[in-house]
Amino acid sequence: RAEFRDAITVRAAVLVIGVAILQLGFIASYVGAFHQPTPHRLPLAVVAPADVSAKVISQLNAIAGSPLQALAVPSAAAGTTRLLHRDVYGVLVVDARSTADGLIEASASGVSAATALTEVMQQVEAHLHRTVHVGDIRPPLPGDRNSLSSFYLVVGWIVGGYLVAAILGISAGSRPANANRATVRLVAIAVYAVMTGLAGALIAGPWLHALPSQVAGLWWLGSLLVFCCGAFAMALQVVAGTIGIGVSILVFVVLGNPSAGGAYAWQLLPTFWRVIGPWLPSGAGTSAARGIAYFDSVGIGTDLLVIGAYGVVGVLLIFTVLLDVGHQVVRLPNAARRRAVEVGG
């Protein structure tokens, strides 16, 4: 019994329980998100003659389970513009003079969403005794099967960000001794971020040809992701010590990866993951990477703001905690001296 108590302390037991919670949370989050992908209000632009447009849109939006969110656009060109701005997943062009309609997609924004949209429209058209011809105007590269390369690139950057913060914390203490030491760590993370951001962009682009060679844009996205996730993970360690590493894994891996829109687009995920996905670095990063690689960086502003917010919160939290601790350390000796003087007097 004595050996057991010496080998497994109460602190170690608590940490093991925390690991078990993370492990089961990982299983529950991934299986919960991916076990039954179902389209939910996939945005669809509809081009139809004026006399049938309202009826077509009403019928599409009334499908059981609400797989589509149809909206009218004046022309195929207007619909295509919205498609390339990633406001919709497809453009349905209704031809009232024949029994065949056209569906325009840009599957580089998410193959899973494009596939789901095609399946829904094929079922709808078959029910109406019509056919649909699908055209993909922005497919992913042959080396980017299922449009997953952006997702894995972002996951790699995020893993590097929180791991480098964890290593610095383990090697030199979870909480830096003062604000100057914290600044040194943040600078080290920033240098690491710039270097690995560039390396990741080169690997995915010109070296493996998994993504279009948008090296500059992906480089700075990777640098931002690595630094912001590293700063946020460092802040969690400053606040919670070793437990902060587990919280980082919870945020970035357990919750972040299945909700990122990588394997399945947000509109195919259950409500919880669909809601949190755009507000976590994995989801914002995946969306931004696809936007940079395939869509000329259109519509990535919100994604960059979300990623940047984690870095800002992390830096502010680090210095707020350290300065507060520093003030307490300065005040305690002064108070002790005053009590000593009073007693001596």
Side-chain angles (χ1 to χ4, degrees):
R1 184 178 299 177
E3 288 290 338
F4 180 81
R5 289 178 178 175
D6 185 60
I8 303 179
T9 64
V10 174
R11 182 174 184 272
V14 171
L15 291 176
V16 169
I17 292 172
V19 170
I21 293 172
L22 278 178
Q23 175 182 339
L24 297 178
F26 184 98
I27 295 170
S29 185
Y30 277 72
V31 175
F34 297 154
H35 76 289
Q36 193 176 6
T38 304
H40 177 78
R41 299 179 68 82
L42 287 166
L44 173 68
V46 178
V47 183
D51 56 336
V52 299
S53 179
K55 180 181 178 181
V56 170
I57 290 174
S58 177
Q59 290 176 335
L60 292 174
N61 288 333
I63 297 173
S66 302
L68 302 177
Q69 184 179 22
L71 57 133
V73 292
S75 65
T80 301
T81 298
R82 300 199 66 163
L83 180 63
L84 295 179
H85 280 74
R86 296 189 295 163
D87 296 327
V88 297
Y89 281 112
V91 182
L92 177 65
V93 182
V94 178
D95 187 352
R97 295 171 298 179
S98 73
T99 59
D101 300 322
L103 179 63
I104 307 170
E105 296 179 335
S107 61
S109 64
V111 171
S112 61
T115 301
L117 181 59
T118 299
E119 291 176 353
V120 171
M121 289 310 308
Q122 286 175 340
Q123 293 173 7
V124 170
E125 297 281 336
H127 179 73
L128 297 174
H129 304 289
R130 299 175 65 86
T131 58
V132 60
H133 301 295
V134 181
D136 194 345
I137 63 172
R138 193 64 57 86
L141 293 183
D144 186 17
R145 187 174 179 81
N146 293 326
S147 191
L148 287 174
S149 297
S150 299
F151 168 62
Y152 289 121
L153 175 62
V154 166
V155 168
W157 278 327
I158 291 175
V159 168
Y162 73 75
L163 281 184
V164 74
I167 289 171
L168 290 173
I170 292 171
S171 64
S174 297
R175 179 178 292 175
N178 51 51
N180 289 336
R181 295 286 181 87
T183 302
V184 171
R185 285 196 194 182
L186 287 171
V187 170
I189 292 174
V191 172
Y192 176 87
V194 172
M195 294 174 62
T196 56
L198 175 59
L202 290 173
I203 291 171
W207 294 355
L208 295 181
H209 304 289
L211 292 174
S213 296
Q214 302 287 350
V215 174
L218 291 175
W219 175 13
W220 293 114
L221 172 64
S223 301
L224 181 68
L225 269 170
V226 175
F227 176 78
C228 290
C229 292
F232 190 76
M234 178 179 165
L236 292 175
Q237 291 177 70
V238 168
V239 172
T242 305
I243 295 174
I245 298 175
V247 178
S248 299
I249 296 173
L250 173 66
V251 173
F252 297 134
V253 179
V254 175
L255 296 178
N257 287 356
S259 65
Y264 293 105
W266 289 321
Q267 285 80 6
L268 273 64
L269 298 177
T271 302
F272 174 75
W273 292 270
R274 184 169 66 246
V275 171
I276 67 172
W279 307 107
L280 293 175
S282 300
T286 299
S287 176
R290 285 174 175 165
I292 291 170
Y294 289 108
F295 297 93
D296 300 321
S297 300
V298 172
I300 67 171
T302 301
D303 299 324
L304 298 181
L305 288 175
V306 169
I307 297 167
Y310 281 82
V312 171
V313 169
V315 171
L316 290 177
L317 193 58
I318 290 167
F319 288 103
T320 298
V321 172
L322 291 180
L323 290 176
D324 183 60
V325 171
H327 289 158
Q328 291 179 14
V329 171
V330 171
R331 286 197 300 268
L332 286 175
N334 292 337
R337 282 197 296 270
R338 285 196 299 271
R339 285 195 298 270
V341 170
E342 291 173 359
V343 172

